[in-house]
Amino acid sequence: YPAAGFTLINFYGCYASAAKVTALKAFVAGYTAGGTYDTLARNSAFAPLPSTVKTAANSWVSTGITTCP
């Protein structure tokens, strides 16, 4: 029978380092862009992230992660 699950990744809302913010945004953008990560998921018998999840993740990360004041 098929088993399904979801993996979560937690981020803080703000970071002291602008370099960390940039790196996290780049990581999420790369991971949700498809291509390599979708292929890796399929080759490992996993389903890639649905496009709605990718869009929501990119939307939140682009506005929800900043440097702390």
Side-chain angles (χ1 to χ4, degrees), residues 10-69:
N10 293 318
F11 294 107
Y12 291 106
C14 69
Y15 291 85
S17 166
K20 283 185 182 179
V21 171
T22 301
L24 286 170
K25 287 181 178 183
F27 169 76
V28 172
Y31 191 80
T32 58
T36 301
Y37 289 105
D38 284 355
T39 301
L40 179 63
R42 284 188 187 98
N43 289 344
S44 301
F46 291 102
L49 292 173
S51 60
T52 53
V53 173
K54 292 177 184 181
T55 301
N58 277 317
S59 176
W60 183 84
V61 167
S62 66
T63 59
I65 296 178
T66 60
T67 54
C68 297

